[in-house]
Amino acid sequence: MSLASAITTAQTIFSNTGKQTAIVSQNIANVGSADYSRRLAMMGVDNDGQPYLKVQRAQNDALFKQTVASISDDAGQSRLLFGLQQIQSAFGGADYPTSPSTYMTAFRSSLQTFAASPSSITIARSAVADARDVANALNSASTVVDQVKATTDKEIGEQVVQLNEYLSAFEKVNYTVIGMLANGKDASDALDKRDSLLKSIAGIVGISTTMRQSMDTVIYTSDGSVLFETSARKVELVGKDGSSSPPFHVEIDNEELKPGTGGNTTAQGTLAALFQLRDDIAPMMQNQLDEIARGLIVSFRETDQTIPEENREPGVPGLFIDSSSTDMPTAGTISTGLAGRIKINAAVDDNPMLLRDGGFNNTSTSTNYTYNRDSVAAYTGRLDGLIEQMGTPQAFDATADIGGTATVMGYASNSIGWIEQLRKAATSADETKGAMVAQMQQTLSNETGVSLDEELSLMLDLEQSYKASAKLLTTVDEMLKSLLDMVR
């Protein structure tokens, strides 16, 4: 080897070692970054026999696609569970201590106590207070359900805006990747950014991707709609009446996004879960609450005691009333919003003995709705009848999803069972999907992420390479000095 070639070799080693060191330093600086793929310095020899260094980005397309899919599943499941927990909070959380069912049990117990001491005004007032708790529980639960629907409406709008922003950013970075690779430049940073955006998009809507020869990426939704192809497709809110406010559904490339179904939801991404909450679970819970309220009004109705018994039905509201109507609700049919309007008849505040005697609907000229017509202090007929009515099956609207016939007490209990079954299924599925996404992210990180131990080991190797190059230059320097000394 000539001295000139030795110097050239040393310079090349210095140059390549410097580039490798920069790459290793960059890797070390990004240890723990979920959106960074390890850079690899690949050495090669060109057609002229000259060594060169090429930066290669670690990647595993199959693992990445599985990770993206698991992110969608987990995001949808987590958002559904959060919504179910919000609804559960309307009933006091675990064990449902403030549910209508719990308060109805306490109220029935108060009625039984009152029936045992029908002349006690104190016990009568206690029973009235328990009845008010039942109505308040229904009002509160209805309010929370309305809040869940309002929250999801707002969040759907925010998610659509966010998704469009992600797609716009993806379009720009996708062009950057294509351009840099076409010009032989290192596109690693742009590819990291593109993968990060894909993960963010997957958190909102389920996606699948296809890679073209130029590294151009096409994105489809899990339903098959085109989300991105060369340019971003428009994601828009479409109102029920054709307007965009309030939002009724989301369209992607003119295809409606479908909501998820079930406690172990089919929703991929938060949008589908939000629609499941807003358009399925919350309305169904509201229907059940409305039916409980209607069942209470029916159970505590009054009938005209002066006419033949076969002509007395359907009667008129007694203890429980609809604050916006004096009529009995339609039998076996959901009265929309009734749970938010139900209250106890104000007349019972002044005269709690109306609960024992009846007469909420008496007028100044008529006492037709009095059951205790002889004003007997020990009268229990009306109280016994009310207790019996709470345990008597009646017709409920089957579209509320918990049966068509039940006692009002049983129906309220079934409603709690319905939401609890959904919540338990969602909790179990959330744990499974959360574990899956964590495992997939860890596996992907093991394949494409940075290992500090490996990078530090490589840094030591590069240090040895640098020392060897320095030694070579030192040797050449000494040889040149010896040669010059000989010439002198």
Side-chain angles (χ1 to χ4, degrees):
M1 178 186 291
S2 67
L3 292 178
S5 63
I7 293 173
T8 300
T9 299
Q11 288 175 332
T12 301
I13 294 174
F14 273 131
S15 176
N16 288 338
T17 301
K19 292 176 182 177
Q20 288 176 294
T21 301
I23 292 170
V24 172
S25 298
Q26 183 181 2
N27 286 340
I28 292 174
N30 286 278
V31 169
S33 174
D35 296 324
Y36 179 85
S37 290
R38 184 188 181 199
R39 312 296 195 252
L40 305 172
M42 309 302 293
M43 299 296 297
V45 179
D46 61 22
N47 294 331
D48 297 327
Q50 296 298 315
Y52 68 87
L53 184 145
K54 180 180 180 182
V55 178
Q56 185 174 332
R57 176 176 174 268
Q59 60 186 55
N60 187 315
D61 292 338
L63 272 178
F64 180 75
K65 287 184 178 182
Q66 291 177 43
T67 301
V68 167
S70 65
I71 287 172
S72 289
D73 291 339
D74 182 58
Q77 191 67 57
S78 295
R79 187 58 187 86
L80 177 69
L81 178 59
F82 179 74
L84 290 171
Q85 289 170 336
Q86 281 184 293
I87 294 175
Q88 185 192 41
S89 72
F91 308 120
D95 299 329
Y96 302 88
T98 60
S99 68
S101 176
T102 300
Y103 283 120
M104 285 166 65
T105 299
F107 176 44
R108 183 176 62 177
S109 179
S110 292
L111 287 177
Q112 291 169 338
T113 302
F114 190 18
S117 302
S119 61
S120 173
I121 188 72
T122 300
I123 295 176
R125 288 197 176 99
S126 178
V128 169
D130 286 341
R132 181 173 284 105
D133 286 341
V134 173
N136 289 341
L138 285 166
N139 297 159
S140 298
S142 182
T143 298
V144 171
V145 171
D146 284 341
Q147 289 172 348
V148 169
K149 289 189 283 189
T151 299
T152 54
D153 261 339
K154 180 182 178 182
E155 194 171 340
I156 285 168
E158 293 171 346
Q159 293 278 281
V160 168
V161 171
Q162 185 68 77
L163 181 54
N164 280 316
E165 289 177 356
Y166 285 149
L167 289 172
S168 178
F170 186 88
E171 182 175 340
K172 294 176 183 177
V173 76
N174 191 58
Y175 277 125
T176 299
V177 168
I178 295 170
M180 293 183 76
L181 292 176
N183 291 309
K185 297 180 179 179
D186 178 21
S188 296
D189 288 343
L191 286 167
D192 281 349
K193 178 63 176 176
R194 190 170 71 173
D195 285 354
S196 175
L197 285 168
L198 282 174
K199 292 177 186 177
S200 298
I201 291 168
I204 298 175
V205 62
I207 61 172
S208 61
T209 59
T210 299
M211 194 81 69
R212 292 173 172 169
Q213 261 189 336
S214 61
M215 291 294 285
D216 178 23
T217 296
V218 181
I219 309 175
Y220 303 93
T221 68
S222 53
D223 294 333
S225 302
V226 177
L227 194 59
F228 179 90
E229 185 177 17
T230 306
S231 61
R233 297 297 191 263
K234 188 175 183 181
V235 182
E236 56 185 344
L237 294 170
V238 179
K240 188 174 182 179
D241 58 356
S243 68
S244 60
S245 179
F248 178 64
H249 65 266
V250 166
E251 288 187 0
I252 299 174
D253 198 26
N254 298 318
E255 292 291 331
E256 182 177 344
L257 180 70
K258 296 179 178 63
T261 57
N264 181 3
T265 183
T266 60
Q268 292 182 306
T270 53
L271 266 182
L274 287 167
F275 278 112
Q276 182 180 356
L277 283 166
R278 192 196 73 173
D279 298 338
D280 180 13
I281 294 174
M284 192 64 72
M285 187 75 253
Q286 183 65 61
N287 288 342
Q288 293 171 13
L289 292 171
D290 291 340
E291 279 294 82
I292 293 169
R294 188 184 61 78
L296 281 168
I297 292 175
V298 169
S299 295
F300 287 81
R301 69 193 181 280
E302 289 187 332
T303 56
D304 188 338
Q305 299 298 296
T306 65
I307 62 178
E309 189 170 347
E310 62 271 15
N311 298 327
R312 292 177 184 177
E313 298 298 347
V316 289
L319 175 63
F320 293 100
I321 63 173
D322 181 346
S323 60
S324 67
S325 174
T326 58
D327 298 327
M328 283 291 292
T330 304
T333 302
I334 295 168
S335 179
T336 304
L338 181 57
R341 303 191 304 268
I342 192 173
K343 66 177 184 177
I344 64 169
N345 198 316
V348 79
D349 292 327
D350 296 327
N351 183 10
M353 286 303 179
L354 287 173
L355 193 56
R356 180 196 67 183
D357 300 334
F360 286 99
N361 293 282
N362 286 342
T363 65
S364 58
T365 59
S366 170
T367 60
N368 293 357
Y369 291 94
T370 296
Y371 288 73
N372 185 12
R373 303 191 69 78
D374 296 326
S375 300
V376 178
Y379 177 74
T380 63
R382 176 58 174 163
L383 292 173
D384 291 339
L386 293 175
I387 294 169
E388 181 181 355
Q389 278 296 314
M390 293 185 77
T392 300
Q394 58 177 284
F396 290 95
D397 195 322
T399 61
D401 203 32
I402 51 174
T405 304
T407 67
V408 68
M409 297 284 294
Y411 194 85
S413 179
N414 291 343
S415 179
I416 294 302
W418 180 84
I419 193 66
E420 179 61 10
Q421 184 178 15
L422 271 177
R423 191 197 63 79
K424 283 185 176 180
T427 300
S428 177
D430 184 61
E431 291 172 355
T432 300
K433 292 175 183 179
M436 177 61 74
V437 72
Q439 181 179 353
M440 291 307 306
Q441 288 173 335
Q442 184 60 52
T443 303
L444 181 64
S445 177
N446 292 341
E447 289 286 326
T448 65
V450 178
S451 168
L452 185 58
D453 290 341
E454 290 182 16
E455 298 304 318
L456 291 176
S457 176
L458 183 56
M459 185 70 81
L460 291 175
D461 291 341
L462 292 172
E463 182 181 354
Q464 294 302 317
S465 177
Y466 182 87
K467 287 180 179 180
S469 301
K471 182 65 175 176
L472 178 59
L473 280 181
T474 300
T475 301
V476 170
D477 182 55
E478 290 175 354
M479 293 175 68
L480 285 173
K481 284 182 179 179
S482 297
L483 180 62
L484 289 174
D485 287 344
M486 291 173 62
V487 171
R488 291 192 191 124

